[in-house]
Amino acid sequence: MAGQNQDQFRSYFRKADLDGDGRISGVEAVSFFQGSGLSKQVLAQIWTYADQSHSGSLSKPEFLNALKLVAVAQRRELTPDIVKAALFGPAAAKIPTPQINFPSTSAPQMGAVMPTSSSIPGFRGPGAPNAGMGQHQFPSVVLAECLKGFGPWNAVLEPFSGCY
């Protein structure tokens, strides 16, 4: 990405790096990339390609790679050959920045009441699943193995994983 795309990349990085630590954590990535319109499964696939250091967060170059893959995935299916070309091929520098839609609502303010698992039927927050919701409990080892490779999307994908 060159010129104007570099400016857009820097702008996206600043918007994604909510805590200003110079890395994009899994939580920050999920929040940012949900605005891409891609499915959680595709975003999980992009995470596995982008987090090349397997650190659980993205450096600036890794975030740039994630942006490239999001831009490509918004136009076509990601295959291993497409990913290789997007990250390392001669056309990599010509990939436009992806379209990311940012919510118009502001973040919760300090002191705001956040929903809890008991206040939203079906919400699986920390702790035991809601009683009477027909949810099954499975050994965490089985679930962890099933969701392996989904990076920060594990918690988001759990209800949709098809593991159970």
Side-chain angles (χ1 to χ4, degrees):
M1 294 184 186
Q4 187 177 11
N5 286 349
Q6 279 293 344
D7 292 340
Q8 186 66 51
F9 160 71
R10 283 192 278 279
S11 172
Y12 279 173
F13 190 86
R14 283 190 303 274
K15 286 181 180 178
D17 187 16
L18 298 174
D19 62 8
D21 69 350
R23 296 193 63 81
I24 307 303
S25 70
V27 171
E28 291 169 326
V30 168
S31 176
F32 179 83
F33 287 120
Q34 282 179 338
S36 69
L38 297 173
S39 73
K40 291 173 178 72
Q41 288 80 8
V42 170
L43 292 173
Q45 179 186 14
I46 289 170
W47 179 268
T48 60
Y49 287 119
D51 185 18
Q52 296 169 353
S53 66
H54 306 288
S55 65
S57 63
L58 301 179
S59 64
K60 285 183 181 181
E62 289 172 330
F63 183 74
L64 173 61
N65 285 341
L67 284 175
K68 288 178 183 180
L69 294 177
V70 166
V72 171
Q74 287 176 331
R75 292 164 178 77
R76 62 186 315 166
E77 182 180 347
L78 289 179
T79 65
D81 288 336
I82 299 271
V83 169
K84 185 187 244 183
L87 297 181
F88 309 112
K94 299 176 185 171
I95 295 174
T97 54
Q99 177 63 42
I100 306 290
N101 297 313
F102 300 101
S104 59
T105 59
S106 60
Q109 301 299 316
M110 291 212 26
V113 176
M114 296 299 293
T116 64
S117 60
S118 62
S119 68
I120 301 175
F123 176 74
R124 293 178 70 182
N130 295 323
M133 292 304 295
Q135 297 169 345
H136 300 83
Q137 287 187 325
F138 292 89
S140 59
V141 173
V142 173
L143 187 58
E145 183 63 28
C146 181
L147 294 173
K148 190 184 216 174
F150 284 112
W153 279 270
N154 284 354
V156 175
L157 288 173
E158 180 180 341
F160 311 104
S161 66
C163 297
Y164 45 91

